Amino acid sequence: MGTVGGGGRSGTMKQLNVGGKLFSLEASSLSLSLSLGSPSPTPTFVDRDPALLSAVLAAIRSPSSAAPDFPARVLLDEASFYGLHAQLLAALSPPPLRGFSASLASTLCPASEPFPTALAPHHDGSLCLAHGAGLVSYYSPALDHHTTFRTHLHRITSLRQLPPRLAVLGSDSAPGLHVYDFLDGEHVASVQWLDPTDTRVSKAKVVAVAARPPADAADKNSPILATFECPHRENCILAVDPVTLKPTQEIGRQSGSAAKSSAPGRVVHLPALGLVFASFVSSGTFGYSGYMRLWDIRSGNVVWETSEPGGGGRSSRFGDPFADADVDVKQQAIYKDHEGAQEAMAVFCVVTGLKFLSAERMDWRFGPDWKSTATTQKRMLNAG
Amino acid sequence: MPPSSPRGGSQPNQSMASAAAVVSLNVGGELFQTTTATLSRAGASSPLASLAPSSPSAPHFLDGDPRLFTHLLSFLRHGRLLAPSPPSAALLAEARHFALDGALLASLSPASAFAPLSLRPSALLPLTGRAAPSAVALCPSPPHPASLVAAHGGVVTCFDAGLASRTSVLTPLPAVDSLVAVSPALALAGARDFPGVHLCRFSDDASAASADPDVLSWPGSPSAAVLSMATTTASGAPSPPWLFSSFESARRNSSAVVVFDLNSLSPVAEIGRKDVFGADIEAAIPATKLAWLGGHNLLLAAGSHSGPAGVVGDIRLWDVRASATVPVWEVREKEDCFADVAASDTLSAVFKVGAASSEVFMADLRRLGDGGGIGLEPWVCIGDGQKAAAAAASGRKERNGCRIECYCSWVFVTRGADVEVWSQVELASEAGGKQVMRRNWVGSELSTKTKIVSWAFGGSRMALARADKVSVEIWDSATAAICANP
């Protein structure tokens, strides 16, 4: 007799007759329509496949067992009927990422043009992959292939997922930020950076996108942030409302005439602080140079900035500038990655709050075990 | 079913409101319970559909294998097979016992699961004999299971939709140039140098075969050879399915498209008869490509001729009901003549691939209607326009052998050994609402195999026949969609 759920109380068990086989499941774990009904001694009849339910239960009970007889998508469909979808998904998903013990789990190869140009994971494990000439594939949390569709772009260079079904994408070869429905493959909206007072602002391309799914149902205030760059290199960060998909605010407009005002290649939204982190790195004959800025999303002002080499009060041109930087949103720390000295060196700075930043005290310091910590954190960030 | 699964229930079941509709079945000693609604999906011809509700204490007894019946019941519940993707011969035999085999085969390759960007090579079907396949065709899949027909030498072989069992028929033709699959039991074969359309029947039904003719020929010239064929797809529901066949007389001085009624196998009409008088060959190029546009009730007939001045051709659209002598639309191709033409119902457009430029052009059917398009260039290049103009100006005179075909809402072009697909992307209405055609390659890498000789689309599949390969390649998007990644 199949059982699921940890409860040992017999009163909460629900008897199901699935296609002639008896199952006994904990009522609280079942979907509403199944768990309701009079508590009669005879089991509730369900016209479903008993083999599928036992495969679902086996997968939930022993997640690491051998591959089931049925594809993951079939099992997930069946589990959602019984209300066991979340449990099965947790059982099918790999354990949480620990950077120092990460190993290759699976290789996804799209059926056509499998040359990835951008990817966007979501924290539930699903993945949007831009590949080939403007193709986007969506892989469900169990990493089985769901859809592949063609966008009108020829090459997608920035991509973010906006669950439940939107993909925000941009290209460095065509203007505009575009929103597609990745389940239907339909174009939903386009956002262009336009300035009625300045006609030179047109045909701006998207360099980087930050889109965070709302943290909870009450969170209506997590805009899509995209850095746009005009053909004449003028750039800005545009905040786009995730519901109406219309631009709401323009922050950080820069002329783009120098490296210090170029379009940021990475943008991260820090909703807890109301800040936007933007960084730009260029590499040339003399190594890397770049800047990091924190913009206040409400006022549109720079809160804190540093540029390397030569930032932080020192005037040396020959420092060890960063090659890449990212923000840990939870710990509110910025990590930077140095590659100027042939070896990956990581330094991080603990940003405790706005007060600390406004005092312009900057403290890049090595972590106790700087190498593993930083790589772990970076991978966690990249994995969403 | 794994033996560790829950034991068979034996308690009576009257608690649910739907208990009246619960059917209990004893199949080979094992108890199954389901509802009448599920069983009625088997169709009226199946004995399962007529089973009345019964209690577990008095189940209906069915003499069958419970292991196989599990899969059949699962198929009735879900509308497709879940576990064993290609059904075994035993399962098909069991399905035939319950008159479910037609529905089972039809569900294997549903047209709704066709996605060109998810096509993966799924099977390589070997053919008997030494001759490489010269033509392949797939059954129109909504009314029929998508069975595959391949002509190799003078033999025509039919694979069922499960791609497991095969039936071969010998035709009197030395090689088949054009092949059409009408139903899993009937295919039509024609050759460029031999008279008549030959019927290949794959069923064992001897009575029908003796009464009907085996060859369909042009009444005006019985020795005429077949250049191309097309059928009306039965899903469009013109009550008798029609066959269009382009004939050229043995002396090559007259040609016509003849319409046959496939039920009575008799000629119905003759369209666009052309006779050559004198040396004006270009005025009467026989149609080498026919395509039926069910949504528009139009027949596309195109023919080209390669001469010292390069490739010239004409494309005509015929409204069969209106006139058999005057086409609805006609275009003469002099510059960058088509290498191949195809028409799409869902996109309502005619597509051609240029013989000189090998770029893809599109002509909107809705714009062809008004004014006849005289003086107006109907073609819009959706490929590289500059390259097309340069190629047209350079005046290349040889053909490139590209082929073009439309299936569902996609356009496919073969380029040597590879297939490219054009898909329509519609932008949101507030972003302009434009519809653009975008290009992709089918498959994960450029092929190093030989040139594609013939191809066909049907169900969720694409079938390819390559030069010098005695096998047929099957690409499927349904298995790719269901199966998890390896």
mmCIF file of all heavy atoms in Angstrom, chain A residues 17 19-23 42-45 47-49 109 111-114 150 152 187-188, chain B residues 6 9 11 13 15-16 30 33-35 38 74 77 117 120 428 438-441 443-444:
data_model
loop_
_atom_site.group_PDB
_atom_site.id
_atom_site.type_symbol
_atom_site.label_atom_id
_atom_site.label_comp_id
_atom_site.label_asym_id
_atom_site.label_seq_id
_atom_site.Cartn_x
_atom_site.Cartn_y
_atom_site.Cartn_z
ATOM 1 N N ASN A 17 -8.651 4.798 -4.486
ATOM 2 C CA ASN A 17 -8.699 3.663 -5.390
ATOM 3 C C ASN A 17 -8.339 4.194 -6.769
ATOM 4 O O ASN A 17 -9.151 4.822 -7.438
ATOM 5 C CB ASN A 17 -10.093 3.044 -5.366
ATOM 6 C CG ASN A 17 -10.246 1.946 -6.382
ATOM 7 O OD1 ASN A 17 -9.317 1.622 -7.110
ATOM 8 N ND2 ASN A 17 -11.432 1.371 -6.442
ATOM 9 N N GLY A 19 -7.642 3.491 -10.339
ATOM 10 C CA GLY A 19 -7.758 2.528 -11.426
ATOM 11 C C GLY A 19 -7.782 1.085 -10.984
ATOM 12 O O GLY A 19 -7.309 0.216 -11.699
ATOM 13 N N GLY A 20 -8.307 0.819 -9.776
ATOM 14 C CA GLY A 20 -8.411 -0.548 -9.307
ATOM 15 C C GLY A 20 -7.353 -0.932 -8.287
ATOM 16 O O GLY A 20 -7.396 -2.027 -7.750
ATOM 17 N N LYS A 21 -6.368 -0.035 -8.021
ATOM 18 C CA LYS A 21 -5.349 -0.303 -7.011
ATOM 19 C C LYS A 21 -5.584 0.650 -5.844
ATOM 20 O O LYS A 21 -5.962 1.806 -6.053
ATOM 21 C CB LYS A 21 -3.938 -0.058 -7.555
ATOM 22 C CG LYS A 21 -3.706 -0.636 -8.908
ATOM 23 C CD LYS A 21 -3.216 -2.057 -8.823
ATOM 24 C CE LYS A 21 -3.186 -2.652 -10.213
ATOM 25 N NZ LYS A 21 -3.101 -4.078 -10.232
ATOM 26 N N LEU A 22 -5.293 0.145 -4.647
ATOM 27 C CA LEU A 22 -5.530 0.965 -3.461
ATOM 28 C C LEU A 22 -4.267 1.705 -3.067
ATOM 29 O O LEU A 22 -3.172 1.131 -3.052
ATOM 30 C CB LEU A 22 -5.982 0.079 -2.306
ATOM 31 C CG LEU A 22 -7.444 -0.316 -2.351
ATOM 32 C CD1 LEU A 22 -7.798 -1.062 -1.074
ATOM 33 C CD2 LEU A 22 -8.330 0.893 -2.506
ATOM 34 N N PHE A 23 -4.407 2.970 -2.752
ATOM 35 C CA PHE A 23 -3.312 3.782 -2.251
ATOM 36 C C PHE A 23 -3.807 4.485 -0.998
ATOM 37 O O PHE A 23 -4.985 4.807 -0.889
ATOM 38 C CB PHE A 23 -2.882 4.838 -3.270
ATOM 39 C CG PHE A 23 -2.157 4.291 -4.448
ATOM 40 C CD1 PHE A 23 -2.866 3.794 -5.527
ATOM 41 C CD2 PHE A 23 -0.787 4.264 -4.482
ATOM 42 C CE1 PHE A 23 -2.207 3.282 -6.629
ATOM 43 C CE2 PHE A 23 -0.114 3.753 -5.579
ATOM 44 C CZ PHE A 23 -0.827 3.259 -6.650
ATOM 45 N N THR A 42 -14.986 3.526 2.461
ATOM 46 C CA THR A 42 -14.580 3.046 1.141
ATOM 47 C C THR A 42 -13.667 4.079 0.485
ATOM 48 O O THR A 42 -13.883 5.276 0.643
ATOM 49 C CB THR A 42 -15.813 2.827 0.248
ATOM 50 O OG1 THR A 42 -16.567 4.033 0.268
ATOM 51 C CG2 THR A 42 -16.646 1.686 0.753
ATOM 52 N N PRO A 43 -12.675 3.619 -0.229
ATOM 53 C CA PRO A 43 -11.736 4.566 -0.830
ATOM 54 C C PRO A 43 -12.362 5.358 -1.978
ATOM 55 O O PRO A 43 -13.283 4.888 -2.646
ATOM 56 C CB PRO A 43 -10.603 3.664 -1.329
ATOM 57 C CG PRO A 43 -11.116 2.288 -1.290
ATOM 58 C CD PRO A 43 -12.341 2.236 -0.467
ATOM 59 N N THR A 44 -11.826 6.568 -2.186
ATOM 60 C CA THR A 44 -12.286 7.424 -3.277
ATOM 61 C C THR A 44 -11.748 6.876 -4.600
ATOM 62 O O THR A 44 -10.560 6.577 -4.705
ATOM 63 C CB THR A 44 -11.751 8.848 -3.078
ATOM 64 O OG1 THR A 44 -12.058 9.238 -1.752
ATOM 65 C CG2 THR A 44 -12.373 9.809 -4.055
ATOM 66 N N PHE A 45 -12.634 6.753 -5.578
ATOM 67 C CA PHE A 45 -12.184 6.228 -6.865
ATOM 68 C C PHE A 45 -11.636 7.355 -7.736
ATOM 69 O O PHE A 45 -12.251 8.405 -7.891
ATOM 70 C CB PHE A 45 -13.331 5.525 -7.601
ATOM 71 C CG PHE A 45 -12.904 4.990 -8.934
ATOM 72 C CD1 PHE A 45 -12.087 3.868 -9.001
ATOM 73 C CD2 PHE A 45 -13.262 5.626 -10.105
ATOM 74 C CE1 PHE A 45 -11.658 3.385 -10.228
ATOM 75 C CE2 PHE A 45 -12.840 5.141 -11.328
ATOM 76 C CZ PHE A 45 -12.040 4.017 -11.386
ATOM 77 N N ASP A 47 -9.910 7.889 -11.606
ATOM 78 C CA ASP A 47 -9.652 7.219 -12.876
ATOM 79 C C ASP A 47 -8.304 7.676 -13.430
ATOM 80 O O ASP A 47 -8.232 8.465 -14.360
ATOM 81 C CB ASP A 47 -10.785 7.517 -13.855
ATOM 82 C CG ASP A 47 -10.653 6.683 -15.113
ATOM 83 O OD1 ASP A 47 -9.961 5.647 -15.059
ATOM 84 O OD2 ASP A 47 -11.221 7.073 -16.142
ATOM 85 N N ARG A 48 -7.231 7.211 -12.819
ATOM 86 C CA ARG A 48 -5.882 7.548 -13.284
ATOM 87 C C ARG A 48 -5.073 6.266 -13.368
ATOM 88 O O ARG A 48 -5.526 5.190 -12.963
ATOM 89 C CB ARG A 48 -5.174 8.518 -12.322
ATOM 90 C CG ARG A 48 -5.893 9.786 -12.017
ATOM 91 C CD ARG A 48 -5.910 10.741 -13.147
ATOM 92 N NE ARG A 48 -4.633 11.424 -13.396
ATOM 93 C CZ ARG A 48 -4.541 12.539 -14.086
ATOM 94 N NH1 ARG A 48 -5.625 13.102 -14.589
ATOM 95 N NH2 ARG A 48 -3.380 13.101 -14.307
ATOM 96 N N ASP A 49 -3.839 6.441 -13.835
ATOM 97 C CA ASP A 49 -2.941 5.313 -14.012
ATOM 98 C C ASP A 49 -2.301 4.938 -12.679
ATOM 99 O O ASP A 49 -1.577 5.747 -12.114
ATOM 100 C CB ASP A 49 -1.848 5.738 -14.992
ATOM 101 C CG ASP A 49 -1.636 4.692 -16.036
ATOM 102 O OD1 ASP A 49 -2.004 3.545 -15.762
ATOM 103 O OD2 ASP A 49 -1.113 5.028 -17.102
ATOM 104 N N CYS A 109 21.658 19.886 -24.519
ATOM 105 C CA CYS A 109 22.041 20.176 -25.903
ATOM 106 C C CYS A 109 20.769 20.447 -26.688
ATOM 107 O O CYS A 109 20.014 19.536 -26.974
ATOM 108 C CB CYS A 109 22.805 19.002 -26.494
ATOM 109 S SG CYS A 109 23.418 19.349 -28.125
ATOM 110 N N ALA A 111 18.183 20.978 -29.718
ATOM 111 C CA ALA A 111 18.137 20.163 -30.934
ATOM 112 C C ALA A 111 18.699 20.903 -32.132
ATOM 113 O O ALA A 111 19.244 20.304 -33.038
ATOM 114 C CB ALA A 111 16.707 19.726 -31.213
ATOM 115 N N SER A 112 18.552 22.223 -32.187
ATOM 116 C CA SER A 112 19.088 22.944 -33.335
ATOM 117 C C SER A 112 19.965 24.087 -32.852
ATOM 118 O O SER A 112 19.635 24.760 -31.877
ATOM 119 C CB SER A 112 17.965 23.474 -34.228
ATOM 120 O OG SER A 112 17.024 24.155 -33.460
ATOM 121 N N GLU A 113 21.066 24.275 -33.543
ATOM 122 C CA GLU A 113 22.014 25.354 -33.283
ATOM 123 C C GLU A 113 22.391 25.442 -31.803
ATOM 124 O O GLU A 113 22.117 26.430 -31.132
ATOM 125 C CB GLU A 113 21.447 26.696 -33.777
ATOM 126 C CG GLU A 113 21.099 26.667 -35.247
ATOM 127 C CD GLU A 113 20.688 28.021 -35.774
ATOM 128 O OE1 GLU A 113 20.689 28.999 -35.010
ATOM 129 O OE2 GLU A 113 20.370 28.095 -36.964
ATOM 130 N N PRO A 114 23.037 24.431 -31.281
ATOM 131 C CA PRO A 114 23.292 24.412 -29.827
ATOM 132 C C PRO A 114 24.502 25.239 -29.412
ATOM 133 O O PRO A 114 25.405 24.750 -28.766
ATOM 134 C CB PRO A 114 23.512 22.931 -29.537
ATOM 135 C CG PRO A 114 24.102 22.402 -30.792
ATOM 136 C CD PRO A 114 23.566 23.218 -31.925
ATOM 137 N N ARG A 150 11.727 30.813 -31.835
ATOM 138 C CA ARG A 150 12.570 31.767 -32.527
ATOM 139 C C ARG A 150 12.114 33.162 -32.152
ATOM 140 O O ARG A 150 10.933 33.461 -32.175
ATOM 141 C CB ARG A 150 12.434 31.561 -34.039
ATOM 142 C CG ARG A 150 13.245 32.506 -34.905
ATOM 143 C CD ARG A 150 14.728 32.246 -34.719
ATOM 144 N NE ARG A 150 15.514 32.705 -35.860
ATOM 145 C CZ ARG A 150 16.146 33.875 -35.905
ATOM 146 N NH1 ARG A 150 16.055 34.717 -34.917
ATOM 147 N NH2 ARG A 150 16.867 34.195 -36.965
ATOM 148 N N HIS A 152 12.722 37.412 -32.903
ATOM 149 C CA HIS A 152 13.040 38.154 -34.126
ATOM 150 C C HIS A 152 14.471 38.654 -34.119
ATOM 151 O O HIS A 152 14.955 39.136 -35.131
ATOM 152 C CB HIS A 152 12.069 39.321 -34.292
ATOM 153 C CG HIS A 152 12.232 40.387 -33.259
ATOM 154 N ND1 HIS A 152 11.818 40.225 -31.961
ATOM 155 C CD2 HIS A 152 12.807 41.608 -33.329
ATOM 156 C CE1 HIS A 152 12.113 41.315 -31.277
ATOM 157 N NE2 HIS A 152 12.718 42.168 -32.071
ATOM 158 N N HIS A 187 5.836 37.077 -28.779
ATOM 159 C CA HIS A 187 6.407 38.361 -28.419
ATOM 160 C C HIS A 187 5.364 39.142 -27.624
ATOM 161 O O HIS A 187 4.218 39.271 -28.057
ATOM 162 C CB HIS A 187 6.778 39.117 -29.697
ATOM 163 C CG HIS A 187 7.475 40.406 -29.455
ATOM 164 N ND1 HIS A 187 6.856 41.614 -29.618
ATOM 165 C CD2 HIS A 187 8.734 40.677 -29.065
ATOM 166 C CE1 HIS A 187 7.712 42.580 -29.331
ATOM 167 N NE2 HIS A 187 8.862 42.046 -29.012
ATOM 168 N N VAL A 188 5.726 39.633 -26.448
ATOM 169 C CA VAL A 188 4.758 40.302 -25.582
ATOM 170 C C VAL A 188 4.907 41.815 -25.684
ATOM 171 O O VAL A 188 3.917 42.535 -25.837
ATOM 172 C CB VAL A 188 4.939 39.838 -24.121
ATOM 173 C CG1 VAL A 188 3.986 40.574 -23.211
ATOM 174 C CG2 VAL A 188 4.706 38.353 -24.019
ATOM 175 N N PRO B 6 1.275 -1.353 -5.443
ATOM 176 C CA PRO B 6 0.227 -1.727 -4.490
ATOM 177 C C PRO B 6 -0.610 -2.901 -4.992
ATOM 178 O O PRO B 6 -0.852 -3.040 -6.178
ATOM 179 C CB PRO B 6 -0.600 -0.471 -4.384
ATOM 180 C CG PRO B 6 0.292 0.612 -4.816
ATOM 181 C CD PRO B 6 1.263 0.040 -5.773
ATOM 182 N N GLY B 9 -6.928 -3.919 -5.446
ATOM 183 C CA GLY B 9 -7.986 -3.650 -4.482
ATOM 184 C C GLY B 9 -9.152 -4.593 -4.695
ATOM 185 O O GLY B 9 -9.407 -5.038 -5.803
ATOM 186 N N GLN B 11 -12.035 -4.119 -2.423
ATOM 187 C CA GLN B 11 -13.205 -3.636 -1.696
ATOM 188 C C GLN B 11 -14.227 -3.024 -2.663
ATOM 189 O O GLN B 11 -13.851 -2.470 -3.695
ATOM 190 C CB GLN B 11 -12.785 -2.570 -0.677
ATOM 191 C CG GLN B 11 -12.357 -3.152 0.645
ATOM 192 C CD GLN B 11 -10.948 -2.729 0.993
ATOM 193 O OE1 GLN B 11 -10.545 -1.643 0.627
ATOM 194 N NE2 GLN B 11 -10.219 -3.590 1.659
ATOM 195 N N ASN B 13 -16.748 -0.346 -4.163
ATOM 196 C CA ASN B 13 -16.491 1.071 -4.305
ATOM 197 C C ASN B 13 -17.799 1.764 -4.677
ATOM 198 O O ASN B 13 -18.216 1.760 -5.819
ATOM 199 C CB ASN B 13 -15.420 1.266 -5.385
ATOM 200 C CG ASN B 13 -15.280 2.713 -5.790
ATOM 201 O OD1 ASN B 13 -15.283 3.585 -4.945
ATOM 202 N ND2 ASN B 13 -15.180 2.936 -7.081
ATOM 203 N N SER B 15 -18.532 4.879 -2.948
ATOM 204 C CA SER B 15 -18.548 6.126 -2.196
ATOM 205 C C SER B 15 -18.683 7.338 -3.099
ATOM 206 O O SER B 15 -19.352 8.301 -2.734
ATOM 207 C CB SER B 15 -17.260 6.245 -1.390
ATOM 208 O OG SER B 15 -16.190 6.365 -2.298
ATOM 209 N N MET B 16 -18.051 7.296 -4.271
ATOM 210 C CA MET B 16 -18.036 8.501 -5.079
ATOM 211 C C MET B 16 -19.356 8.686 -5.810
ATOM 212 O O MET B 16 -20.090 7.741 -6.068
ATOM 213 C CB MET B 16 -16.903 8.410 -6.116
ATOM 214 C CG MET B 16 -15.531 8.545 -5.531
ATOM 215 S SD MET B 16 -15.154 10.227 -5.039
ATOM 216 C CE MET B 16 -14.680 10.905 -6.612
ATOM 217 N N GLU B 30 -6.348 -10.052 -13.641
ATOM 218 C CA GLU B 30 -6.015 -8.868 -12.864
ATOM 219 C C GLU B 30 -7.166 -7.865 -12.943
ATOM 220 O O GLU B 30 -7.794 -7.710 -13.994
ATOM 221 C CB GLU B 30 -4.732 -8.227 -13.404
ATOM 222 C CG GLU B 30 -4.100 -7.295 -12.408
ATOM 223 C CD GLU B 30 -2.641 -7.004 -12.759
ATOM 224 O OE1 GLU B 30 -1.948 -7.905 -13.277
ATOM 225 O OE2 GLU B 30 -2.218 -5.877 -12.504
ATOM 226 N N GLN B 33 -9.948 -0.936 -12.878
ATOM 227 C CA GLN B 33 -11.166 -0.140 -12.753
ATOM 228 C C GLN B 33 -10.978 1.163 -13.499
ATOM 229 O O GLN B 33 -9.933 1.803 -13.419
ATOM 230 C CB GLN B 33 -11.455 0.137 -11.277
ATOM 231 C CG GLN B 33 -12.084 -1.054 -10.577
ATOM 232 C CD GLN B 33 -12.405 -0.741 -9.150
ATOM 233 O OE1 GLN B 33 -11.534 -0.340 -8.390
ATOM 234 N NE2 GLN B 33 -13.648 -0.920 -8.772
ATOM 235 N N THR B 34 -11.996 1.541 -14.206
ATOM 236 C CA THR B 34 -11.947 2.806 -14.929
ATOM 237 C C THR B 34 -13.382 3.297 -15.085
ATOM 238 O O THR B 34 -14.298 2.738 -14.497
ATOM 239 C CB THR B 34 -11.227 2.635 -16.280
ATOM 240 O OG1 THR B 34 -11.132 3.901 -16.909
ATOM 241 C CG2 THR B 34 -11.971 1.676 -17.198
ATOM 242 N N THR B 35 -13.553 4.353 -15.880
ATOM 243 C CA THR B 35 -14.897 4.893 -16.053
ATOM 244 C C THR B 35 -15.368 4.660 -17.480
ATOM 245 O O THR B 35 -14.562 4.425 -18.386
ATOM 246 C CB THR B 35 -14.911 6.404 -15.776
ATOM 247 O OG1 THR B 35 -13.949 7.019 -16.616
ATOM 248 C CG2 THR B 35 -14.581 6.701 -14.338
ATOM 249 N N THR B 38 -13.768 7.078 -19.994
ATOM 250 C CA THR B 38 -12.446 6.716 -20.516
ATOM 251 C C THR B 38 -12.567 5.653 -21.596
ATOM 252 O O THR B 38 -11.935 5.747 -22.645
ATOM 253 C CB THR B 38 -11.575 6.196 -19.366
ATOM 254 O OG1 THR B 38 -11.447 7.220 -18.389
ATOM 255 C CG2 THR B 38 -10.202 5.802 -19.848
ATOM 256 N N SER B 74 -3.827 3.095 -20.116
ATOM 257 C CA SER B 74 -3.096 4.346 -19.932
ATOM 258 C C SER B 74 -3.185 5.209 -21.192
ATOM 259 O O SER B 74 -3.326 6.431 -21.114
ATOM 260 C CB SER B 74 -1.638 4.013 -19.608
ATOM 261 O OG SER B 74 -0.830 5.116 -19.836
ATOM 262 N N ARG B 77 -6.490 6.887 -21.245
ATOM 263 C CA ARG B 77 -6.619 7.967 -20.265
ATOM 264 C C ARG B 77 -5.883 9.211 -20.722
ATOM 265 O O ARG B 77 -6.356 10.322 -20.552
ATOM 266 C CB ARG B 77 -6.053 7.519 -18.927
ATOM 267 C CG ARG B 77 -6.972 6.568 -18.188
ATOM 268 C CD ARG B 77 -6.394 6.235 -16.823
ATOM 269 N NE ARG B 77 -7.260 5.319 -16.115
ATOM 270 C CZ ARG B 77 -6.847 4.159 -15.611
ATOM 271 N NH1 ARG B 77 -5.587 3.792 -15.761
ATOM 272 N NH2 ARG B 77 -7.683 3.375 -14.976
ATOM 273 N N LEU B 117 12.300 23.333 -34.624
ATOM 274 C CA LEU B 117 13.525 23.628 -33.898
ATOM 275 C C LEU B 117 13.821 22.561 -32.857
ATOM 276 O O LEU B 117 14.852 22.608 -32.202
ATOM 277 C CB LEU B 117 13.417 25.008 -33.247
ATOM 278 C CG LEU B 117 13.237 26.119 -34.280
ATOM 279 C CD1 LEU B 117 12.882 27.421 -33.624
ATOM 280 C CD2 LEU B 117 14.488 26.278 -35.108
ATOM 281 N N ARG B 120 14.976 16.132 -34.005
ATOM 282 C CA ARG B 120 16.223 15.398 -33.831
ATOM 283 C C ARG B 120 16.147 14.149 -34.674
ATOM 284 O O ARG B 120 15.065 13.580 -34.840
ATOM 285 C CB ARG B 120 16.379 14.960 -32.369
ATOM 286 C CG ARG B 120 16.794 16.036 -31.431
ATOM 287 C CD ARG B 120 16.867 15.450 -30.035
ATOM 288 N NE ARG B 120 16.865 16.486 -29.027
ATOM 289 C CZ ARG B 120 17.962 17.079 -28.554
ATOM 290 N NH1 ARG B 120 19.126 16.736 -29.021
ATOM 291 N NH2 ARG B 120 17.884 18.010 -27.634
ATOM 292 N N ALA B 428 4.566 42.050 -31.024
ATOM 293 C CA ALA B 428 3.352 42.498 -30.333
ATOM 294 C C ALA B 428 2.783 43.738 -31.026
ATOM 295 O O ALA B 428 3.519 44.519 -31.637
ATOM 296 C CB ALA B 428 3.678 42.805 -28.884
ATOM 297 N N ARG B 438 12.232 34.550 -40.084
ATOM 298 C CA ARG B 438 13.578 34.376 -39.539
ATOM 299 C C ARG B 438 14.095 32.987 -39.871
ATOM 300 O O ARG B 438 13.333 32.022 -39.906
ATOM 301 C CB ARG B 438 13.572 34.591 -38.027
ATOM 302 C CG ARG B 438 13.370 36.034 -37.627
ATOM 303 C CD ARG B 438 14.608 36.844 -37.944
ATOM 304 N NE ARG B 438 14.490 38.219 -37.495
ATOM 305 C CZ ARG B 438 14.335 39.265 -38.295
ATOM 306 N NH1 ARG B 438 14.245 39.095 -39.598
ATOM 307 N NH2 ARG B 438 14.270 40.487 -37.804
ATOM 308 N N ARG B 439 15.384 32.892 -40.041
ATOM 309 C CA ARG B 439 15.998 31.673 -40.553
ATOM 310 C C ARG B 439 16.763 30.933 -39.466
ATOM 311 O O ARG B 439 17.392 31.562 -38.608
ATOM 312 C CB ARG B 439 16.960 32.055 -41.660
ATOM 313 C CG ARG B 439 17.490 30.901 -42.443
ATOM 314 C CD ARG B 439 18.366 31.422 -43.529
ATOM 315 N NE ARG B 439 19.723 31.553 -43.042
ATOM 316 C CZ ARG B 439 20.787 31.325 -43.805
ATOM 317 N NH1 ARG B 439 20.623 31.006 -45.062
ATOM 318 N NH2 ARG B 439 21.985 31.456 -43.313
ATOM 319 N N ASN B 440 16.706 29.608 -39.502
ATOM 320 C CA ASN B 440 17.517 28.774 -38.620
ATOM 321 C C ASN B 440 17.879 27.494 -39.346
ATOM 322 O O ASN B 440 17.225 27.121 -40.323
ATOM 323 C CB ASN B 440 16.762 28.418 -37.342
ATOM 324 C CG ASN B 440 16.734 29.555 -36.362
ATOM 325 O OD1 ASN B 440 15.738 30.261 -36.268
ATOM 326 N ND2 ASN B 440 17.814 29.770 -35.662
ATOM 327 N N TRP B 441 18.884 26.831 -38.828
ATOM 328 C CA TRP B 441 19.215 25.509 -39.344
ATOM 329 C C TRP B 441 18.472 24.467 -38.520
ATOM 330 O O TRP B 441 18.285 24.642 -37.324
ATOM 331 C CB TRP B 441 20.711 25.244 -39.248
ATOM 332 C CG TRP B 441 21.503 26.098 -40.177
ATOM 333 C CD1 TRP B 441 22.235 27.200 -39.839
ATOM 334 C CD2 TRP B 441 21.631 25.940 -41.585
ATOM 335 N NE1 TRP B 441 22.802 27.735 -40.959
ATOM 336 C CE2 TRP B 441 22.450 26.980 -42.059
ATOM 337 C CE3 TRP B 441 21.129 25.025 -42.520
ATOM 338 C CZ2 TRP B 441 22.783 27.138 -43.386
ATOM 339 C CZ3 TRP B 441 21.460 25.186 -43.842
ATOM 340 C CH2 TRP B 441 22.280 26.225 -44.272
ATOM 341 N N GLY B 443 18.695 20.908 -36.825
ATOM 342 C CA GLY B 443 19.731 19.978 -36.389
ATOM 343 C C GLY B 443 20.831 20.701 -35.660
ATOM 344 O O GLY B 443 20.978 21.910 -35.724
ATOM 345 N N SER B 444 21.630 19.894 -34.944
ATOM 346 C CA SER B 444 22.589 20.503 -34.044
ATOM 347 C C SER B 444 23.899 20.838 -34.726
ATOM 348 O O SER B 444 24.676 21.615 -34.213
ATOM 349 C CB SER B 444 22.846 19.568 -32.869
ATOM 350 O OG SER B 444 23.301 18.334 -33.351
#
